[in-house]
Amino acid sequence: MAAAILAGIGAIVWSGSGAGAANTVTAAFTVNGKSVAHSSGSNPVKLNPGAPALVGVTVTNDGSSPITVNSVALSGQALDITFFDFETETGLQVAPGATVTQQYTLDLAPLNGQGDGLIPASLHLLDPNRHVLASQSFTADVRGRTTSLFGLFAIEITVFTGLLFAGAILALARGKLHENRFRRGLRFMWPGVGLGLVIVFAFAILRIFVPSPGHWLPIVLICAAAGFAVGYVTPNPANDELIGGPDSTFDPDPTAVSGTADPRATLPARDS
């Protein structure tokens, strides 16, 4: 899970640095007649595994040399993890200064077992060397099975998070947590990270929001901070050991506490 978070942050930095690159090729995409440019969580582009998708491409070459569009690729990623990827060959030639419009069919049948819910997606135009000529990101509403790869990944995270929570709570109940507050905070931080990821995937499957970095990063970070805070304020197990533990009993000798002798006690006889 930590690797997923770091990978997602790296993806944000990478996408930001590449946004300013100059490109002489522009493209507009449609899926089943709907433009993908203005899609959102409330207006997603539906991808139905039961029917092929008709992808329309309008390519404009503003450069001084002809280009070849070798293929059109459709992919979907969440937390920088690719859950589906489709591609079809085009062999499209675009002369300098020209604009060409074509339509292509993508078989989405395997999508039934790969995704379900709102997933960030993108369409790419690739040249013969598989360099990206133009691309467009959009929000896809994937109508796959709940037990798809996306759904199973969410179930695995839920189970793993439950085990982390159970282990941390059991260690707290048994007084087995570390004496250092920071270490106790870390012990509860990772279940918090897992809880944040569970919320993100659940909301995506329920089609409440898109698991884009602007959504999932704040949720995961807030849950991680809350988990760390809970662990940080848990009692120090060393303090329980100093007082004998929470289940210990103390039954002092009343004569030893008062410091007075029992008048009924008999002294040993002296030898004459």
Side-chain angles (χ1 to χ4, degrees):
M1 289 184 292
I5 295 174
L6 294 175
I9 295 174
I12 298 173
V13 175
W14 179 87
S15 61
S17 62
N23 199 336
T24 59
V25 179
T26 57
F29 300 90
T30 61
V31 175
N32 296 327
K34 180 177 181 177
S35 174
V36 304
H38 304 292
S39 64
S40 62
S42 59
N43 184 33
V45 176
K46 291 185 179 180
L47 298 179
N48 189 353
L54 186 62
V55 179
V57 180
T58 299
V59 187
T60 300
N61 181 8
D62 294 324
S64 57
S65 58
I67 62 169
T68 299
V69 180
N70 190 65
S71 60
V72 177
L74 167 66
S75 62
Q77 292 184 334
L79 281 70
D80 205 39
I81 302 173
T82 300
F83 288 95
F84 61 86
D85 192 6
F86 299 92
E87 187 174 335
T88 184
E89 293 186 358
T90 61
L92 183 63
Q93 302 285 335
V94 185
T99 297
V100 178
T101 299
Q102 291 288 347
Q103 290 187 329
Y104 306 95
T105 300
L106 287 176
D107 182 12
L108 301 182
L111 189 60
N112 195 38
Q114 295 175 342
D116 180 57
L118 297 179
I119 300 177
S122 58
L123 282 161
H124 306 279
L125 298 182
L126 305 178
D127 67 9
N129 296 320
R130 303 197 62 80
H131 297 146
V132 177
L133 295 171
S135 64
Q136 175 67 61
S137 299
F138 66 98
T139 300
D141 181 3
V142 182
R143 298 288 175 166
R145 297 193 309 264
T146 304
T147 55
S148 64
L149 178 62
F150 191 79
L152 291 177
F153 191 76
I155 294 172
E156 291 175 0
I157 292 178
T158 302
V159 173
F160 186 66
T161 300
L163 293 175
L164 289 177
F165 265 119
I169 293 174
L170 188 62
L172 174 63
R174 292 181 175 178
K176 299 296 185 182
L177 292 176
H178 201 276
E179 296 178 8
N180 183 274
R181 283 185 180 274
F182 185 79
R183 295 283 294 274
R184 297 201 302 273
L186 290 179
R187 180 69 182 270
F188 279 85
M189 184 190 73
W190 293 114
V193 172
L195 177 61
L197 293 175
V198 169
I199 293 174
V200 169
F201 276 91
F203 280 13
I205 293 174
L206 295 174
R207 295 171 174 82
I208 296 176
F209 70 56
V210 188
S212 59
H215 284 141
W216 71 262
L217 269 177
I219 292 177
V220 171
L221 292 177
I222 290 172
C223 290
F228 182 86
V230 169
Y232 191 83
V233 300
T234 53
N236 188 341
N239 294 337
D240 290 338
E241 293 177 2
L242 291 177
I243 62 174
D247 299 327
S248 64
T249 58
F250 182 60
D251 187 16
D253 182 359
T255 61
V257 172
S258 63
T260 59
D262 189 347
R264 294 171 295 177
T266 57
L267 295 176
R270 296 182 177 179
D271 295 335
S272 55

